[in-house]
Amino acid sequence: MMHRYATALLLFTLPAQAHEHPKDFAGGNGEWFDQLERPDNAQHPDRYRTGGGHLCCTDKDATAVQTKYQIPEGGSYPEAVWYVRIRIWTYTGYQIDWVKVPPHVIIHKRPPGIDDDPAMRNKAWVFLTAAGTMIMCFIPPLPEN
């Protein structure tokens, strides 16, 4: 019984390990995704000491994600409130649902050249924690014309 607790404790204390994307990921932007930093790092300088904790990517890939957004009354597109459809934990287990994206994790830049391809313009990516339930970074799609 004690062995299980020690293993669980070890899993939660190990630093995040970076994950490499294939070079051809998202239109040849694998290296760009590998180096992408979390937008709220200025508020958390300790992340630079945790073996890659300052990067969006951990041991999970960036995942293309289904999105929707709402524009606040009197607002415009960059001020959108974003939602992504991801797996979340509830008291009855995991389920797929819409989750509001915290504004401090939104990255307002896109991979180089990605939007030259009409099929990629509407792509959005989310970076989740290892458990897959918390959003670390989010790259929204370009607005529709």
Side-chain angles (χ1 to χ4, degrees):
M1 180 76 92
M2 191 62 110
H3 176 67
R4 280 190 221 158
Y5 293 119
T7 302
L9 180 61
L10 179 62
L11 290 175
F12 288 110
T13 59
L14 291 175
Q17 298 298 314
H19 172 84
E20 287 190 28
H21 295 87
K23 276 192 178 266
D24 62 348
F25 181 80
N29 284 295
E31 289 180 24
W32 185 88
F33 277 89
D34 288 343
Q35 300 303 314
L36 193 60
E37 293 196 11
R38 296 169 71 173
D40 60 345
N41 279 338
Q43 291 81 28
H44 303 278
D46 57 310
R47 288 180 181 161
Y48 289 93
R49 295 186 297 263
T50 60
H54 65 289
L55 299 173
C56 289
C57 193
T58 61
D59 62 338
K60 296 285 185 181
D61 248 337
T63 304
V65 67
Q66 186 179 4
T67 64
K68 65 181 181 179
Y69 66 92
Q70 296 175 330
I71 303 294
E73 189 172 325
S76 61
Y77 181 81
E79 300 161 351
V81 176
W82 285 96
Y83 296 85
V84 295
R85 195 164 164 83
I86 62 172
R87 179 181 73 155
I88 60 170
W89 172 255
T90 68
Y91 289 109
T92 59
Y94 286 104
Q95 67 183 38
I96 305 294
D97 207 350
W98 290 102
V99 175
K100 184 178 178 180
V101 176
H104 66 275
V105 303
I106 299 173
I107 297 173
H108 294 286
K109 62 182 176 180
R110 310 254 308 148
I114 197 89
D115 299 317
D116 296 338
D117 178 354
M120 298 299 276
R121 278 182 62 83
N122 293 324
K123 295 267 187 208
W125 293 272
V126 68
F127 295 81
L128 302 172
T129 57
T133 58
M134 189 175 90
I135 301 168
M136 293 174 43
C137 298
F138 171 66
I139 302 171
L142 283 181
E144 299 169 0
N145 293 330

